[in-house]
Amino acid sequence: MKKHRFSWLLIGFTALMMLLLTGCGGKTAALPLDNSRLVSYVAKYAGAAAEAGVMEVSFKAGNPGAWQVETKTQLPGATVTSSVQLNQYLLPLSSLYDVEVANAQGGKVTTTYTGKQVLMDAETPNGPQKIERKLTGNYYDNEQLVATIAALKLEPKQRYTFTLIVPQSALKLTPAVWLEVDEQGKAVVEQVTTPAGTFESHKVILNAGVTGAPDQTFWISTSGPAVVTKYYNGATEYTLQELVTP
């Protein structure tokens, strides 16, 4: 348990792995959810640059109160897939993260959340590795974030923190999120035009609390299903290409 991250970090693909940052400390508090806007959907995103790839996110309702997030990303020379099982509060129960690389050995991480700790079991080119992390406050899996950050019911002028587990690097982060507000302190609303349509969207800012790391911005629809319509990580912009709801 002395290693702090798995040895097969996807150095060539960090532009896609949206929150692959350096860890930071801090306390966490409960995050408010807007359950009224939770609905199953499939969303496709494309990066502004070809090397950013195309990502498909599926947010599905399961057994009473349960949810599942599935993500598949096609990159030049690689395919990244993940699946996260959630409870009714959108807290993760387990996740699977799998990388297939053309002409090379990929890797896989199986993650189990017990409520007090997270267990990560990885298959890497250097053999199996196991890592444990303690959990405090509200916690989320990095692979669910695009689907579930839109479900947060954030209030203007308030910052919210939570624990974020990044299975592909075994990092435990404590990012902060907040609504961008105007001079009157009201939540900013922008018209976001995408191939999937035009959406009135709030801007949610995420900061990992790491010196030099850029803020990340999520544009989130204000009505209909809670979904990210556009995302910018400080280097690459991703836009919603298609949205399918029941």
Side-chain angles (χ1 to χ4, degrees), residues 22-233:
T22 304
C24 55
K27 295 182 179 180
T28 62
L31 293 176
L33 296 178
D34 188 353
N35 294 319
S36 66
R37 294 185 60 207
L38 293 180
V39 64
S40 298
Y41 66 81
V42 177
K44 294 182 179 179
Y45 299 88
E51 61 270 17
V54 176
M55 178 172 61
E56 180 174 303
V57 178
S58 172
F59 188 46
K60 300 178 181 179
N63 292 327
W67 293 87
Q68 178 174 305
V69 177
E70 295 181 348
T71 304
K72 182 176 182 179
T73 305
Q74 296 287 351
L75 296 164
T79 301
V80 181
T81 59
S82 65
S83 178
V84 188
Q85 307 297 320
L86 311 173
N87 67 12
Q88 65 268 37
Y89 305 109
L90 304 186
L91 298 181
L93 303 172
S94 63
S95 70
L96 176 64
Y97 179 87
D98 194 359
V99 180
E100 296 182 3
V101 182
N103 302 318
Q105 187 173 353
K108 180 184 298 184
V109 183
T110 301
T111 305
T112 303
Y113 295 85
T114 68
K116 295 183 178 180
Q117 62 182 351
V118 55
L119 311 175
M120 289 169 277
D121 191 348
E123 299 175 13
T124 80
N126 294 328
Q129 298 183 36
K130 295 180 182 292
I131 293 180
E132 297 181 7
R133 294 274 189 263
K134 291 184 178 180
L135 292 173
T136 56
N138 272 29
Y139 51 89
Y140 297 91
D141 190 290
N142 186 61
E143 296 305 300
Q144 75 177 88
L145 199 59
V146 173
T148 58
I149 194 171
L152 299 181
K153 189 176 183 179
L154 306 180
E155 297 294 336
K157 297 184 178 181
Q158 292 192 31
R159 294 170 67 97
Y160 302 82
T161 59
F162 57 97
T163 296
L164 184 67
I165 300 298
V166 187
Q168 63 266 39
S169 58
L171 289 178
K172 176 183 173 182
L173 315 180
T174 311
V177 294
W178 64 91
L179 280 171
E180 184 170 288
V181 298
D182 59 21
E183 294 179 353
Q184 286 73 44
K186 297 181 179 179
V188 170
V189 177
E190 294 185 355
Q191 295 285 337
V192 177
T193 299
T194 76
T198 298
F199 303 84
E200 284 194 349
S201 303
H202 285 140
K203 294 176 71 175
V204 173
I205 312 301
L206 185 147
N207 181 274
V210 179
T211 302
D215 289 344
Q216 301 174 61
T217 305
F218 298 80
W219 284 259
I220 297 173
S221 57
T222 60
S223 60
V227 61
V228 172
T229 58
K230 184 170 68 171
Y231 165 79
Y232 180 64
N233 63 8

